[in-house]
Amino acid sequence: MANVAVIGETVRVAGFRLAGAVVLPADTHDAARAAWASLGDDVAVVILTPEAAEAVGERAGERTTVVMPP
């Protein structure tokens, strides 16, 4: 089964756990890059906060991603 992962600031991503997403809190750019690098092959979609998207940069194109509005 494919999973959805959410990466970004703790306060913005915590609630996604209730929907069954894999939540990877990342309050810094370094933490967002580390969370991205830790994604398993079972993750089909990644939801990013704008800050996390900025940190991940062009690597976001490696997977299906959605960026939350600011």
Side-chain angles (χ1 to χ4, degrees), residues 4 7-8 11 13 19 22 25 30-31 33 42-43 45-46 48 50 55-58 61-62 65 68:
V4 173
I7 301 173
V11 70
V13 302
V22 175
D30 287 338
R33 287 188 284 272
D42 61 333
V43 175
V45 177
V46 183
L48 301 166
V56 172
E58 292 182 15
E62 298 170 1
T65 59
M68 292 180 197

Side-chain angles (χ1 to χ4, degrees), residues 3 5 7-8 11-12 17 24 26 29 32 36-37 43 45 51-52 54 57 61-65 69:
N3 289 313
I7 301 173
V11 70
R12 295 201 65 193
R17 187 168 283 127
L24 302 167
H29 280 203
W36 182 270
V43 175
V45 177
E51 286 291 320
E54 182 180 313
E62 298 170 1
R63 296 180 184 256
T64 301
T65 59

